[in-house]
Amino acid sequence: MRFLLTGGAGYIGSHTCVSLLDAGHEVVVLDNFVNSCPEAIARVEKIAGKSITLYEGDCCDAAFVSSVFDKEHIDGVVHFAGLKAVGESVRIPLNYYQNNLGATMTLCRVMAEHHVKRIVFSSSATVYGDSKEVPFNESLPMGECTNPYGWTKWMSERIMRDIAFADPEWTVVLLRYFNPVGAHESGLIGEDPSGIPNNLMPFICQTAAGVRDKLSIFGNDYPTPDGTCVRDYIHVMDLADGHVKALEYAMDHQGTEIFNLGTGEGYSVYQMVAAFERANHLTLPHVDAPRRPGDIAVSYADPAKAKAVLHWQAKRTLDDMCRDAWNWQSRNPHGYRQA
Ligand code: NAD
Ligand code: UD1
Protein backbone atom coordinates (compact mmCIF):
# COMPACT_ATOMS: atom_id res chain seq x y z
CA MET A 1 0.00 0.00 0.00
CA ARG A 2 1.07 3.62 -0.57
CA PHE A 3 0.31 6.04 2.25
CA LEU A 4 0.50 9.83 2.52
CA LEU A 5 1.78 11.20 5.83
CA THR A 6 1.07 14.89 6.39
CA GLY A 7 3.59 16.19 8.92
CA GLY A 8 5.59 13.04 8.24
CA ALA A 9 8.94 14.71 8.92
CA GLY A 10 8.03 15.46 12.55
CA TYR A 11 8.75 13.45 15.68
CA ILE A 12 5.98 10.84 15.50
CA GLY A 13 5.67 10.99 11.70
CA SER A 14 9.35 10.18 11.08
CA HIS A 15 9.17 7.12 13.35
CA THR A 16 5.95 6.03 11.65
CA CYS A 17 7.71 6.28 8.27
CA VAL A 18 10.23 3.71 9.52
CA SER A 19 7.53 1.32 10.75
CA LEU A 20 5.55 1.61 7.50
CA LEU A 21 8.61 1.04 5.31
CA ASP A 22 9.67 -1.91 7.49
CA ALA A 23 6.17 -3.38 7.05
CA GLY A 24 6.59 -3.24 3.26
CA HIS A 25 4.47 -0.15 2.52
CA GLU A 26 5.41 2.90 0.44
CA VAL A 27 5.43 6.37 1.97
CA VAL A 28 4.78 9.86 0.60
CA VAL A 29 5.43 12.76 3.00
CA LEU A 30 3.90 16.24 2.85
CA ASP A 31 5.41 18.74 5.31
CA ASN A 32 6.09 22.49 5.43
CA PHE A 33 8.94 22.00 7.94
CA VAL A 34 7.51 24.56 10.35
CA ASN A 35 8.67 22.27 13.17
CA SER A 36 10.95 19.78 11.43
CA CYS A 37 13.57 19.50 8.69
CA PRO A 38 14.28 17.37 5.60
CA GLU A 39 17.26 15.77 7.38
CA ALA A 40 14.79 13.67 9.40
CA ILE A 41 13.54 12.10 6.16
CA ALA A 42 17.09 11.47 4.93
CA ARG A 43 17.78 9.63 8.17
CA VAL A 44 14.59 7.58 7.92
CA GLU A 45 15.72 6.51 4.44
CA LYS A 46 19.08 5.51 5.90
CA ILE A 47 17.47 3.41 8.66
CA ALA A 48 14.97 1.70 6.36
CA GLY A 49 17.23 1.41 3.31
CA LYS A 50 14.30 2.64 1.19
CA SER A 51 13.32 5.97 -0.30
CA ILE A 52 10.45 8.32 0.47
CA THR A 53 8.71 10.75 -1.87
CA LEU A 54 8.76 14.16 -0.21
CA TYR A 55 6.64 17.24 -0.96
CA GLU A 56 7.39 20.52 0.78
CA GLY A 57 4.30 22.67 1.27
CA ASP A 58 1.41 23.66 3.49
CA CYS A 59 -1.45 21.33 4.27
CA CYS A 60 -3.77 24.37 4.41
CA ASP A 61 -2.96 25.16 0.76
CA ALA A 62 -5.68 23.33 -1.22
CA ALA A 63 -4.00 23.78 -4.63
CA PHE A 64 -0.74 22.33 -3.32
CA VAL A 65 -2.39 19.39 -1.53
CA SER A 66 -4.48 18.70 -4.61
CA SER A 67 -1.35 18.66 -6.79
CA VAL A 68 0.12 15.93 -4.57
CA PHE A 69 -3.00 13.77 -4.97
CA ASP A 70 -2.95 14.44 -8.75
CA LYS A 71 0.59 13.08 -8.98
CA GLU A 72 0.45 10.20 -6.48
CA HIS A 73 -1.70 7.14 -6.11
CA ILE A 74 -2.59 7.21 -2.39
CA ASP A 75 -4.39 4.36 -0.57
CA GLY A 76 -4.78 6.14 2.76
CA VAL A 77 -3.57 9.12 4.79
CA VAL A 78 -2.14 9.65 8.25
CA HIS A 79 -2.74 13.25 9.29
CA PHE A 80 0.02 14.31 11.69
CA ALA A 81 0.44 17.91 10.45
CA GLY A 82 -0.33 20.40 13.18
CA LEU A 83 1.13 22.79 15.72
CA LYS A 84 1.45 21.22 19.18
CA ALA A 85 2.94 23.62 21.74
CA VAL A 86 0.33 24.01 24.46
CA GLY A 87 1.71 27.26 25.97
CA GLU A 88 2.10 28.87 22.53
CA SER A 89 -1.49 27.93 21.69
CA VAL A 90 -2.66 29.96 24.69
CA ARG A 91 -0.65 32.99 23.49
CA ILE A 92 -1.55 32.81 19.77
CA PRO A 93 -4.79 30.82 19.61
CA LEU A 94 -5.79 31.99 16.15
CA ASN A 95 -2.64 30.51 14.62
CA TYR A 96 -3.52 27.17 16.18
CA TYR A 97 -7.16 27.17 15.07
CA GLN A 98 -6.20 28.38 11.60
CA ASN A 99 -3.37 25.91 11.07
CA ASN A 100 -4.72 22.81 12.76
CA LEU A 101 -8.36 23.08 11.72
CA GLY A 102 -7.48 24.58 8.32
CA ALA A 103 -5.15 21.66 7.59
CA THR A 104 -7.77 19.08 8.62
CA MET A 105 -10.56 20.64 6.57
CA THR A 106 -8.45 21.30 3.48
CA LEU A 107 -7.00 17.80 3.55
CA CYS A 108 -10.39 16.10 3.93
CA ARG A 109 -11.92 18.18 1.14
CA VAL A 110 -9.07 17.40 -1.26
CA MET A 111 -9.16 13.72 -0.28
CA ALA A 112 -12.88 13.52 -1.05
CA GLU A 113 -12.32 15.22 -4.41
CA HIS A 114 -9.74 12.54 -5.23
CA HIS A 115 -11.90 9.69 -3.87
CA VAL A 116 -9.38 8.84 -1.17
CA LYS A 117 -11.53 8.40 1.92
CA ARG A 118 -9.37 6.63 4.48
CA ILE A 119 -7.75 8.75 7.18
CA VAL A 120 -5.95 8.07 10.44
CA PHE A 121 -5.76 11.13 12.67
CA SER A 122 -3.29 12.13 15.42
CA SER A 123 -5.52 12.99 18.31
CA SER A 124 -4.58 13.19 21.96
CA ALA A 125 -5.63 12.03 25.40
CA THR A 126 -6.14 15.74 26.04
CA VAL A 127 -9.70 15.36 24.59
CA TYR A 128 -10.72 13.44 27.74
CA GLY A 129 -10.22 16.66 29.73
CA ASP A 130 -9.90 16.24 33.48
CA SER A 131 -11.87 13.00 33.66
CA LYS A 132 -12.00 11.56 37.17
CA GLU A 133 -12.50 8.09 35.73
CA VAL A 134 -9.14 6.43 35.09
CA PRO A 135 -8.01 4.60 33.10
CA PHE A 136 -9.41 6.63 30.21
CA ASN A 137 -11.64 4.48 28.04
CA GLU A 138 -12.74 5.44 24.50
CA SER A 139 -16.39 5.35 25.55
CA LEU A 140 -15.95 8.18 28.08
CA PRO A 141 -17.57 11.44 27.01
CA MET A 142 -15.12 13.99 25.63
CA GLY A 143 -14.15 16.54 28.27
CA GLU A 144 -13.31 20.22 28.52
CA CYS A 145 -9.87 21.03 27.11
CA THR A 146 -7.66 23.44 29.05
CA ASN A 147 -6.05 25.14 26.05
CA PRO A 148 -6.61 26.00 22.35
CA TYR A 149 -4.27 23.22 21.18
CA GLY A 150 -6.47 20.67 22.93
CA TRP A 151 -9.61 22.19 21.43
CA THR A 152 -8.14 21.86 17.91
CA LYS A 153 -7.85 18.10 18.52
CA TRP A 154 -11.37 17.98 19.98
CA MET A 155 -12.81 19.91 17.00
CA SER A 156 -10.82 17.98 14.38
CA GLU A 157 -12.23 14.75 15.81
CA ARG A 158 -15.73 16.22 15.59
CA ILE A 159 -15.24 17.42 12.00
CA MET A 160 -13.98 14.05 10.81
CA ARG A 161 -16.73 12.11 12.57
CA ASP A 162 -19.32 14.32 10.86
CA ILE A 163 -17.68 13.77 7.47
CA ALA A 164 -17.81 9.98 7.96
CA PHE A 165 -21.41 10.20 9.17
CA ALA A 166 -22.47 12.19 6.10
CA ASP A 167 -20.65 9.93 3.63
CA PRO A 168 -20.45 6.25 4.60
CA GLU A 169 -17.61 5.68 2.14
CA TRP A 170 -15.24 7.34 4.64
CA THR A 171 -13.08 5.51 7.16
CA VAL A 172 -11.89 7.69 10.03
CA VAL A 173 -9.57 6.26 12.67
CA LEU A 174 -9.00 8.63 15.57
CA LEU A 175 -5.88 7.70 17.53
CA ARG A 176 -5.68 9.23 21.00
CA TYR A 177 -2.01 9.26 21.95
CA PHE A 178 -0.96 9.32 25.55
CA ASN A 179 2.62 10.57 26.22
CA PRO A 180 5.03 9.61 23.42
CA VAL A 181 8.69 9.51 24.47
CA GLY A 182 11.94 7.86 23.38
CA ALA A 183 13.45 7.48 19.93
CA HIS A 184 14.33 4.90 17.29
CA GLU A 185 16.92 2.56 18.78
CA SER A 186 19.50 3.58 16.12
CA GLY A 187 19.70 7.06 17.68
CA LEU A 188 19.42 8.53 14.16
CA ILE A 189 15.94 10.04 14.61
CA GLY A 190 14.22 11.44 17.68
CA GLU A 191 12.40 14.40 19.16
CA ASP A 192 14.00 17.73 18.24
CA PRO A 193 12.11 20.46 20.08
CA SER A 194 12.84 24.02 18.98
CA GLY A 195 13.51 26.46 21.82
CA ILE A 196 12.54 25.57 25.38
CA PRO A 197 10.87 22.15 25.47
CA ASN A 198 7.31 21.82 26.80
CA ASN A 199 7.27 18.17 27.71
CA LEU A 200 8.96 16.21 30.47
CA MET A 201 11.25 13.84 28.57
CA PRO A 202 13.00 16.45 26.38
CA PHE A 203 13.49 18.52 29.54
CA ILE A 204 15.00 15.51 31.34
CA CYS A 205 17.32 14.84 28.38
CA GLN A 206 18.49 18.44 28.11
CA THR A 207 19.13 18.50 31.86
CA ALA A 208 21.15 15.27 31.66
CA ALA A 209 23.13 16.81 28.76
CA GLY A 210 23.91 19.91 30.84
CA VAL A 211 21.98 22.22 28.49
CA ARG A 212 19.78 23.03 31.52
CA ASP A 213 20.90 23.25 35.18
CA LYS A 214 18.11 21.23 36.70
CA LEU A 215 14.69 19.79 36.14
CA SER A 216 11.78 21.53 37.86
CA ILE A 217 9.16 19.08 39.09
CA PHE A 218 5.81 20.82 38.71
CA GLY A 219 3.80 20.04 41.84
CA ASN A 220 4.34 17.44 44.57
CA ASP A 221 0.97 17.84 46.27
CA TYR A 222 -1.31 16.03 43.80
CA PRO A 223 -3.59 13.25 45.06
CA THR A 224 -1.22 10.54 43.74
CA PRO A 225 0.96 8.03 45.65
CA ASP A 226 4.06 10.27 45.70
CA GLY A 227 2.33 13.62 45.09
CA THR A 228 3.59 14.13 41.51
CA CYS A 229 1.45 13.78 38.36
CA VAL A 230 0.97 10.37 36.78
CA ARG A 231 1.11 9.85 33.00
CA ASP A 232 1.08 6.97 30.52
CA TYR A 233 4.44 7.24 28.73
CA ILE A 234 4.64 5.24 25.52
CA HIS A 235 7.70 4.46 23.39
CA VAL A 236 7.41 6.32 20.08
CA MET A 237 8.25 3.14 18.13
CA ASP A 238 5.34 1.32 19.77
CA LEU A 239 3.17 4.30 18.82
CA ALA A 240 4.54 4.14 15.25
CA ASP A 241 3.68 0.43 15.02
CA GLY A 242 0.15 1.33 16.16
CA HIS A 243 -0.22 3.50 13.04
CA VAL A 244 0.67 0.58 10.78
CA LYS A 245 -2.06 -1.48 12.44
CA ALA A 246 -4.53 1.41 12.24
CA LEU A 247 -3.90 1.93 8.51
CA GLU A 248 -4.22 -1.77 7.78
CA TYR A 249 -7.48 -1.79 9.76
CA ALA A 250 -8.73 1.24 7.78
CA MET A 251 -8.22 -0.61 4.51
CA ASP A 252 -11.13 -2.98 5.15
CA HIS A 253 -13.46 -1.07 7.51
CA GLN A 254 -15.74 1.93 7.17
CA GLY A 255 -17.11 4.54 9.58
CA THR A 256 -15.37 6.10 12.57
CA GLU A 257 -13.37 4.25 15.23
CA ILE A 258 -11.44 5.66 18.16
CA PHE A 259 -8.44 3.96 19.74
CA ASN A 260 -6.29 4.89 22.70
CA LEU A 261 -2.60 4.34 22.07
CA GLY A 262 -1.02 3.98 25.49
CA THR A 263 0.53 1.26 27.62
CA GLY A 264 -2.12 1.22 30.35
CA GLU A 265 0.59 1.91 32.98
CA GLY A 266 0.92 5.21 34.79
CA TYR A 267 4.22 6.57 36.14
CA SER A 268 4.77 9.63 38.29
CA VAL A 269 7.27 12.39 37.57
CA TYR A 270 9.49 11.17 40.44
CA GLN A 271 9.33 7.64 39.00
CA MET A 272 10.33 8.96 35.57
CA VAL A 273 13.35 10.75 37.03
CA ALA A 274 14.41 7.59 38.91
CA ALA A 275 13.89 5.41 35.81
CA PHE A 276 15.98 7.74 33.64
CA GLU A 277 18.79 7.77 36.21
CA ARG A 278 18.70 3.98 36.54
CA ALA A 279 18.56 3.21 32.81
CA ASN A 280 21.36 5.60 31.91
CA HIS A 281 23.56 5.38 35.01
CA LEU A 282 23.55 9.09 35.71
CA THR A 283 22.23 11.61 38.21
CA LEU A 284 19.64 14.18 37.25
CA PRO A 285 19.61 17.43 39.23
CA HIS A 286 16.01 18.28 40.08
CA VAL A 287 14.02 20.58 42.30
CA ASP A 288 10.39 20.67 43.43
CA ALA A 289 8.48 23.60 41.90
CA PRO A 290 4.89 24.90 41.92
CA ARG A 291 2.17 23.20 39.90
CA ARG A 292 1.98 24.02 36.17
CA PRO A 293 -1.39 25.58 35.28
CA GLY A 294 -3.64 23.24 33.29
CA ASP A 295 -2.03 19.98 34.46
CA ILE A 296 -4.27 17.14 35.59
CA ALA A 297 -3.23 14.74 38.36
CA VAL A 298 -3.60 11.39 36.63
CA SER A 299 -3.88 10.28 32.99
CA TYR A 300 -3.44 6.77 31.68
CA ALA A 301 -5.05 4.66 28.98
CA ASP A 302 -7.29 1.69 28.90
CA PRO A 303 -5.58 0.13 25.85
CA ALA A 304 -7.86 -2.95 25.66
CA LYS A 305 -9.72 -1.86 22.52
CA ALA A 306 -6.55 -1.40 20.45
CA LYS A 307 -5.40 -4.84 21.59
CA ALA A 308 -8.70 -6.53 20.76
CA VAL A 309 -9.44 -4.80 17.45
CA LEU A 310 -6.08 -3.70 16.03
CA HIS A 311 -4.10 -6.57 17.59
CA TRP A 312 -1.65 -3.97 18.82
CA GLN A 313 -0.12 -3.45 22.22
CA ALA A 314 2.91 -1.56 23.49
CA LYS A 315 5.91 -3.84 23.96
CA ARG A 316 8.76 -1.60 25.02
CA THR A 317 9.57 -0.93 28.68
CA LEU A 318 10.12 2.27 30.62
CA ASP A 319 13.85 1.47 30.61
CA ASP A 320 13.76 1.20 26.78
CA MET A 321 12.07 4.61 26.60
CA CYS A 322 14.66 6.25 28.87
CA ARG A 323 17.64 4.56 27.21
CA ASP A 324 16.53 5.37 23.66
CA ALA A 325 15.66 8.98 24.53
CA TRP A 326 19.13 9.51 25.99
CA ASN A 327 20.83 7.64 23.13
CA TRP A 328 19.25 10.09 20.65
CA GLN A 329 20.01 13.16 22.80
CA SER A 330 23.63 12.23 23.49
CA ARG A 331 24.36 11.36 19.85
CA ASN A 332 22.60 14.51 18.58
CA PRO A 333 23.09 17.24 21.18
CA HIS A 334 21.87 19.85 18.67
CA GLY A 335 19.11 17.70 17.22
CA TYR A 336 19.19 17.59 13.44
CA ARG A 337 21.17 20.83 13.25
CA GLN A 338 24.97 20.83 13.00
CA ALA A 339 26.79 22.22 16.04
P1 NAD B 1 5.89 17.57 15.33
O1 NAD B 1 5.77 19.04 15.50
O2 NAD B 1 7.23 16.95 15.51
O3 NAD B 1 5.30 17.13 13.90
C1 NAD B 1 4.28 17.83 13.26
C2 NAD B 1 4.72 18.03 11.82
O4 NAD B 1 3.70 18.73 11.12
C3 NAD B 1 6.00 18.86 11.69
O5 NAD B 1 6.89 18.20 10.83
C4 NAD B 1 5.52 20.18 11.10
O6 NAD B 1 6.51 20.78 10.30
C5 NAD B 1 4.31 19.74 10.31
N1 NAD B 1 3.27 20.75 10.07
C6 NAD B 1 2.64 21.54 10.97
N2 NAD B 1 1.72 22.31 10.36
C7 NAD B 1 1.77 22.00 9.04
C8 NAD B 1 1.08 22.45 7.89
N3 NAD B 1 0.13 23.40 7.97
N4 NAD B 1 1.39 21.91 6.69
C9 NAD B 1 2.35 20.95 6.58
N5 NAD B 1 3.04 20.50 7.63
C10 NAD B 1 2.75 21.00 8.85
O7 NAD B 1 4.84 16.89 16.33
P2 NAD B 1 4.66 15.37 16.73
O8 NAD B 1 5.03 15.24 18.16
O9 NAD B 1 5.31 14.50 15.73
O10 NAD B 1 3.09 15.26 16.64
C11 NAD B 1 2.44 14.80 15.48
C12 NAD B 1 0.94 14.97 15.67
O11 NAD B 1 0.54 14.25 16.84
C13 NAD B 1 0.51 16.41 15.90
O12 NAD B 1 -0.74 16.63 15.28
C14 NAD B 1 0.36 16.50 17.41
O13 NAD B 1 -0.54 17.48 17.80
C15 NAD B 1 -0.15 15.12 17.74
N6 NAD B 1 0.13 14.69 19.12
C16 NAD B 1 1.41 14.75 19.60
C17 NAD B 1 1.67 14.38 20.91
C18 NAD B 1 3.07 14.46 21.48
O14 NAD B 1 3.22 14.41 22.70
N7 NAD B 1 4.12 14.56 20.67
C19 NAD B 1 0.63 13.94 21.74
C20 NAD B 1 -0.66 13.87 21.21
C21 NAD B 1 -0.91 14.25 19.89
C1 UD1 C 1 1.14 17.94 27.81
C2 UD1 C 1 0.03 18.87 27.37
C3 UD1 C 1 -1.06 18.07 26.67
C4 UD1 C 1 -0.46 17.26 25.51
C5 UD1 C 1 0.65 16.36 26.09
C6 UD1 C 1 1.33 15.53 25.02
C7 UD1 C 1 0.00 20.72 29.01
C8 UD1 C 1 -0.79 21.39 30.09
N1 UD1 C 1 -0.53 19.59 28.50
O1 UD1 C 1 0.61 17.05 28.70
O2 UD1 C 1 -2.05 18.93 26.16
O3 UD1 C 1 -1.45 16.46 24.91
O4 UD1 C 1 1.63 17.19 26.71
O5 UD1 C 1 2.00 16.37 24.13
O6 UD1 C 1 1.03 21.19 28.59
N2 UD1 C 1 6.70 18.14 34.07
C9 UD1 C 1 7.58 18.55 35.05
N3 UD1 C 1 8.64 19.32 34.67
C10 UD1 C 1 8.86 19.69 33.37
C11 UD1 C 1 7.95 19.26 32.37
C12 UD1 C 1 6.86 18.50 32.78
O7 UD1 C 1 7.41 18.24 36.23
O8 UD1 C 1 9.83 20.39 33.09
C13 UD1 C 1 5.56 17.31 34.48
C14 UD1 C 1 4.23 17.92 34.14
O9 UD1 C 1 3.78 18.77 35.15
C15 UD1 C 1 3.37 16.64 34.00
C16 UD1 C 1 4.37 15.58 33.52
O10 UD1 C 1 5.66 16.09 33.80
O11 UD1 C 1 2.92 16.29 35.26
C17 UD1 C 1 4.24 15.31 32.03
O12 UD1 C 1 4.30 16.56 31.35
P1 UD1 C 1 4.25 16.70 29.76
O13 UD1 C 1 5.33 15.87 29.17
O14 UD1 C 1 4.23 18.15 29.44
O15 UD1 C 1 2.87 16.00 29.34
P2 UD1 C 1 1.36 16.27 29.82
O16 UD1 C 1 1.30 17.08 31.03
O17 UD1 C 1 0.69 14.95 29.88
Side-chain angles (χ1 to χ4, degrees), residues 25-335:
H25 298 295
E26 293 174 21
V27 173
V28 177
V29 166
L30 179 166
D31 204 303
N32 65 359
F33 303 118
V34 67
N35 196 36
S36 57
C37 58
E39 175 64 13
I41 296 296
R43 295 200 188 181
V44 168
E45 291 177 324
K46 190 171 170 190
I47 294 168
K50 294 177 183 166
S51 63
I52 286 176
T53 308
L54 177 60
Y55 290 92
E56 179 173 358
D58 197 318
C59 199
C60 301
D61 175 347
F64 164 68
V65 180
S66 200
S67 73
V68 173
F69 280 87
D70 287 341
K71 282 184 233 148
E72 302 288 341
H73 168 82
I74 301 293
D75 293 301
V77 176
V78 188
H79 181 33
F80 294 105
L83 300 173
K84 63 161 185 177
V86 170
E88 186 181 68
S89 81
V90 176
R91 283 196 306 281
I92 45 173
L94 203 47
N95 291 25
Y96 273 67
Y97 288 115
Q98 197 136 26
N99 188 72
N100 293 3
L101 299 182
T104 297
M105 290 189 284
T106 301
L107 175 66
C108 290
R109 190 176 288 283
V110 172
M111 284 175 67
E113 284 163 6
H114 290 79
H115 309 288
V116 179
K117 297 184 179 179
R118 294 190 172 99
I119 189 165
V120 173
F121 176 62
S122 297
S123 189
S124 165
T126 197
V127 302
Y128 290 112
D130 191 3
S131 168
K132 300 289 175 255
E133 257 183 76
V134 278
F136 295 163
N137 180 286
E138 292 88 346
S139 59
L140 281 173
M142 290 167 82
E144 290 282 312
C145 298
T146 53
N147 54 75
Y149 162 76
W151 284 116
T152 68
K153 293 296 170 195
W154 198 106
M155 293 177 196
S156 287
E157 281 202 8
R158 188 70 255 170
I159 291 166
M160 282 183 262
R161 289 169 73 116
D162 288 345
I163 292 170
F165 182 76
D167 177 355
E169 286 180 7
W170 274 88
T171 306
V172 169
V173 180
L174 304 172
L175 298 180
R176 293 180 177 165
Y177 309 156
F178 281 70
N179 291 61
V181 294
H184 187 265
E185 60 179 13
S186 64
L188 283 172
I189 56 172
E191 188 167 11
D192 184 17
S194 51
I196 301 173
N198 294 284
N199 301 115
L200 180 64
M201 189 56 97
F203 235 106
I204 287 181
C205 286
Q206 291 194 0
T207 306
V211 178
R212 312 201 172 270
D213 292 350
K214 53 184 178 298
L215 173 77
S216 294
I217 295 185
F218 298 143
N220 60 6
D221 57 350
Y222 284 97
T224 59
D226 66 19
T228 65
C229 293
V230 169
R231 295 287 183 274
D232 184 338
Y233 298 93
I234 175 169
H235 196 295
V236 67
M237 285 309 299
D238 279 332
L239 194 71
D241 292 343
H243 291 75
V244 178
K245 297 287 192 189
L247 277 168
E248 290 172 353
Y249 168 88
M251 287 302 117
D252 51 14
H253 291 81
Q254 282 173 330
T256 302
E257 280 298 341
I258 305 173
F259 296 101
N260 285 335
L261 293 186
T263 66
E265 296 282 336
Y267 291 97
S268 74
V269 183
Y270 283 154
Q271 285 177 312
M272 288 301 286
V273 170
F276 191 89
E277 290 182 330
R278 187 180 61 237
N280 297 310
H281 312 289
L282 45 76
T283 306
L284 203 64
H286 58 274
V287 60
D288 289 334
R291 288 183 177 198
R292 181 175 69 177
D295 276 345
I296 61 173
V298 179
S299 159
Y300 62 96
D302 174 353
K305 185 177 174 191
K307 186 177 177 190
V309 180
L310 299 180
H311 310 294
W312 170 90
Q313 76 185 112
K315 295 192 193 90
R316 292 159 179 90
T317 65
L318 191 57
D319 271 24
D320 296 334
M321 301 178 210
C322 292
R323 190 200 56 228
D324 291 341
W326 179 235
N327 184 40
W328 153 256
Q329 171 74 42
S330 46
R331 283 172 187 244
N332 305 272
H334 305 280

